[in-house]
Amino acid sequence: MSKIRVAIDGPVSSGKSSAGSRAAFLLNYRFIDTGVMYRAVAYKIKTQNIPLEKWEAAAKTTTFDWIGEPSKPTLSIDGIVIKDSLFSPEISSFTSKVAASPEIRKTLVSFQREMAKNGGIVMVGRDIGTVVLPDAELKIFLTASLDTRVKRRYEELIQKKNNISIEELKKEVSERDKRDSTRKDSPLQIAEDGIEIDSTHLTLEQVAEMIVKKTEEKEK
Ligand code: C5P
């Protein structure tokens, strides 16, 4: 039995991270949330006021280390762990602008491929099945209705002590989805051989179990 590469893509708060991490735990796989890498680069650019012409260099010289529990790792960038600040609505929105840069994508994609090369990994993002790991053995495209996704994101943000109204959040999520799906480089789309799972009426545990089952079928 060989451990495979599971690619999960989908729009904002479709459950990729929670279900992906849970599935990785159940499978004894590694979990990598590539959105956190884009967020970390955006955070660095924003907090260090890095001008546009130096964005590419900033991404290239960033060191990424995933530390802690393999199915729920924390990202350290340039030796520092920045946790909750990465998830503010302001950073979320700025991240999708930064992530439209082909140079930044190139740098992060090569790190991501390196991390996945030995298999036994669940990797989530927007372009994992289409660009990062086009030959992944299992590709999932996770969706949910906009209202469900906004509600999930709202609950996450409240836990992280971010203050935002549902209306503002709905606007931020819709704009980000639109930007991520219409950009020229690596837009969010389902891979040709991707399997769509609509999580609107499913619990994250049910989604994780579906991913585990499909992974085990591919492992045989
Ligand atoms: O997944 P998450 O919402 O944390 O991602 C934040 C942003 O990072 C996305 O809105 C998207 O612009 C970008 N992203 C990306 N490609 C990935 C993962 C995330 O462009 N593989």
Side-chain angles (χ1 to χ4, degrees), residues 16 33-36 38-39 95-96 99 105 125-128 176 180 183:
K16 304 180 297 289
D33 184 347
T34 60
V36 177
Y38 285 94
R39 286 174 183 275
T95 301
S96 81
R105 302 202 71 80
R126 302 290 187 290
D127 59 342
I128 310 304
R176 191 144 62 95
D180 292 342
R183 68 183 174 212

Side-chain angles (χ1 to χ4, degrees), residues 9-13 16-17 33-39 86-87 91-100 105 109 112 124-128 132 153 172 176-177 179-180 183 185-186:
D9 294 301
V12 176
S13 290
K16 304 180 297 289
S17 302
D33 184 347
T34 60
V36 177
M37 299 175 80
Y38 285 94
R39 286 174 183 275
L86 293 184
F87 297 92
I91 290 297
S92 300
S93 171
F94 185 56
T95 301
S96 81
K97 292 176 189 151
V98 168
R105 302 202 71 80
V109 166
Q112 292 158 6
V124 308
R126 302 290 187 290
D127 59 342
I128 310 304
V132 181
R153 182 104 190 97
E172 188 262 306
R176 191 144 62 95
D177 280 342
R179 204 178 298 125
D180 292 342
R183 68 183 174 212
D185 188 349
S186 317

Side-chain angles (χ1 to χ4, degrees), residues 10-14 16 39 87-90 92-93 96 126 144-157 164-181 188:
V12 176
S13 290
S14 48
K16 304 180 297 289
R39 286 174 183 275
F87 297 92
S88 70
E90 193 195 6
S92 300
S93 171
S96 81
R126 302 290 187 290
S145 72
L146 178 63
D147 283 345
T148 302
R149 294 187 293 111
V150 169
K151 195 166 160 269
R152 283 182 192 158
R153 182 104 190 97
Y154 183 73
E155 279 157 14
E156 270 167 34
L157 285 173
I164 189 167
S165 71
I166 290 260
E167 291 69 33
E168 281 173 287
L169 193 59
K170 197 166 182 173
K171 190 163 169 268
E172 188 262 306
V173 169
S174 311
E175 282 174 4
R176 191 144 62 95
D177 280 342
K178 187 164 177 224
R179 204 178 298 125
D180 292 342
S181 317
L188 169 68

